[in-house]
Amino acid sequence: MMKKIKILGAVLFAATIGSSIYAFGTSEDAPQKVKDSFAQKFPSVKKVKWDKENETEWEAEFKMKGTEYSANFLEDGTWQETEHEIKKNAIPAKVKTTLDTEFTGYKIEEAELSETVKGSVYEFELEKGKEKIEVNMDSNGKVVDNKMSKDVYKDDKD
């Protein structure tokens, strides 16, 4: 009996250590300046997954009040942007009007609110058939990103 308990204990210990190593190995460790800035901006958030966004930015992925967020910081800790997905019923009326009039026939695939030092922008991924468009608007429904990227998806059967 004692031997079974020891074996079970060893297996549980190994599983715990293995899963801890796996969990911490899936993301990179951000510089302390970045972590400090994050903690100052989001003091209530305890669980954060860090990834290197590009050569100069770190991205934090976390949850607040059940909503998934991402926030970007420069290497020196300067906050750049916070984004989170929003539900379609949370889109302001003026923005919905622009979507309905200027992007007739497009379906909202994704809607996010992006906050930066310059202000907030609604970011949309829209689809119409095989066409995909990314559109950014201010809260008044004005398109602020004139460089709408259009990606046309080709069917594998084509």
Side-chain angles (χ1 to χ4, degrees):
M1 178 71 167
M2 194 61 159
K3 189 175 185 177
K4 287 182 181 178
I5 292 172
K6 285 182 180 178
I7 291 172
L8 182 60
V11 170
L12 288 173
F13 177 75
T16 302
I17 294 298
S19 65
S20 295
I21 290 169
Y22 177 76
F24 289 113
T26 58
S27 65
E28 297 184 48
D29 199 22
Q32 194 60 48
K33 286 181 180 180
V34 173
K35 290 179 181 179
D36 291 344
S37 291
F38 178 87
Q40 189 172 13
K41 185 148 184 72
F42 304 101
S44 65
V45 176
K46 303 299 178 216
K47 288 178 121 180
V48 183
K49 180 185 175 225
W50 288 102
D51 284 307
K52 188 85 168 159
E53 178 80 357
N54 56 44
E55 290 298 313
T56 60
E57 286 186 42
W58 285 86
E59 180 180 61
E61 293 180 348
F62 56 98
K63 281 189 178 182
M64 282 193 320
K65 299 178 184 175
T67 301
E68 292 184 19
Y69 281 76
S70 68
N72 289 35
F73 295 83
L74 295 178
E75 294 272 337
D76 67 2
T78 304
W79 171 75
Q80 295 295 292
E81 173 184 45
T82 301
E83 289 183 334
H84 69 278
E85 202 165 323
I86 59 171
K87 295 186 184 326
K88 291 175 186 169
N89 62 4
I91 300 170
K94 291 179 181 179
V95 174
K96 280 184 182 176
T97 299
T98 302
L99 287 170
D100 292 342
T101 57
E102 293 187 30
F103 302 96
T104 306
Y106 284 89
K107 180 180 168 192
I108 299 172
E109 289 299 312
E110 191 173 301
E112 292 183 327
L113 179 59
S114 172
E115 300 166 279
T116 67
V117 176
K118 295 178 182 178
S120 296
V121 173
Y122 291 88
E123 297 179 350
F124 298 98
E125 188 177 290
L126 306 174
E127 285 188 6
K128 182 179 185 180
K130 295 179 183 179
E131 190 175 3
K132 180 178 175 182
I133 302 173
E134 292 180 18
V135 179
N136 296 339
M137 289 184 222
D138 66 17
S139 60
N140 292 315
K142 179 183 176 198
V143 176
V144 294
D145 184 359
N146 293 334
K147 298 184 296 178
M148 289 183 272
S149 64
K150 292 187 179 186
D151 297 322
V152 178
Y153 294 109
K154 294 193 177 183
D155 222 320
D156 291 336
K157 298 173 188 169
D158 289 346

